[in-house]
Amino acid sequence: MTQTTDDVRRLIKAGDLPGAVRSLRPGRSPATVSLLPGRSCHVIGLAAAGLLGLPAVPYDPARTDTLVVAYDLNAHDSELLSALHGRADGQVLYEHTTCWTDPPAVPADVSGLLAQYTAAPWAQQGERSADTRPAEEIARDIVTADPAPDEGDGRTPADPDEALRAFTAAVAAGWLSGPRDPVRSPGPVRSSRFG
């Protein structure tokens, strides 16, 4: 979780990736982190605010220059998704976990992970009880976690900052100003559910 939030930090901090946001929104960076309703959105949003050193505020569709943070956009009702479809100037929509087999009605500008199934680490899962600590405390644990990436098995391709810079430069013309239209297909696999 810390790694994907750190990737967002790398993406939106003009000092770390000079071409990324500056080329998308010249001279602008988010001034706030907007929290969507729901416990998981609050946890990940408060963690993002802590990592970015920005104030966390309740989501307001008209707020400009803000990073709107969602854990899973499919967890929200159509009224909120309709508001997210519109884009206030300087608004960036981040979804921590995107279900690729059931894309949300409003796609995020940035997605941390693609998954077939998602459950927040602090939510109840099977026999494991939910973490009932306050959202602020869980977010604080995320912020203070070791940010070193997992070494993995050595077969995962590198994810260098240069690749992120190249990608953001390639999509700069329309990425944060284009429409947030639904993705009509979850991908090229006809049956995208395997489990």
Side-chain angles (χ1 to χ4, degrees):
M1 186 163 308
T2 303
Q3 182 63 43
T4 59
T5 308
D6 188 54
D7 288 344
V8 173
R9 181 192 55 77
R10 290 186 305 140
L11 181 64
I12 68 172
K13 285 194 98 150
D16 290 331
L17 288 170
V21 170
R22 229 175 244 144
S23 64
L24 300 171
R25 291 287 187 208
R28 295 172 70 176
S29 291
T32 59
V33 171
S34 291
L35 306 177
L36 292 178
R39 178 172 170 76
S40 290
C41 290
H42 279 207
V43 169
I44 198 72
L46 290 169
L51 287 167
L52 297 169
L54 296 173
V57 296
Y59 171 67
D60 174 354
R63 183 172 286 114
T64 61
D65 299 321
T66 191
L67 174 65
V68 180
V69 176
Y71 189 86
D72 174 7
L73 285 167
N74 282 334
H76 297 286
D77 63 33
S78 59
E79 185 178 337
L80 178 64
L81 293 175
S82 180
L84 288 168
H85 188 267
R87 181 194 301 274
D89 193 36
Q91 182 188 82
V92 179
L93 176 57
Y94 168 74
E95 180 179 30
H96 183 70
T97 306
T98 301
C99 181
W100 68 276
T101 58
D102 183 20
V106 175
D109 301 314
V110 180
S111 180
L113 304 167
L114 292 176
Q116 184 175 3
Y117 170 79
T118 181
W122 45 84
Q124 179 178 346
Q125 295 180 45
E127 298 294 315
R128 192 184 80 204
S129 299
D131 185 339
T132 59
R133 295 178 297 156
E136 294 80 5
E137 190 175 331
I138 298 171
R140 202 170 21 257
D141 284 352
I142 295 169
V143 170
T144 59
D146 181 1
D150 186 327
E151 292 181 25
D153 61 9
R155 295 184 293 189
T156 305
D159 185 20
D161 285 353
E162 295 77 28
L164 185 58
R165 281 189 193 97
F167 172 77
T168 57
V171 298
W175 177 39
L176 292 180
S177 59
R180 288 183 179 146
D181 293 332
V183 175
R184 301 275 181 226
S185 169
V189 180
R190 289 179 195 247
S191 176
S192 56
R193 288 242 176 236
F194 302 111

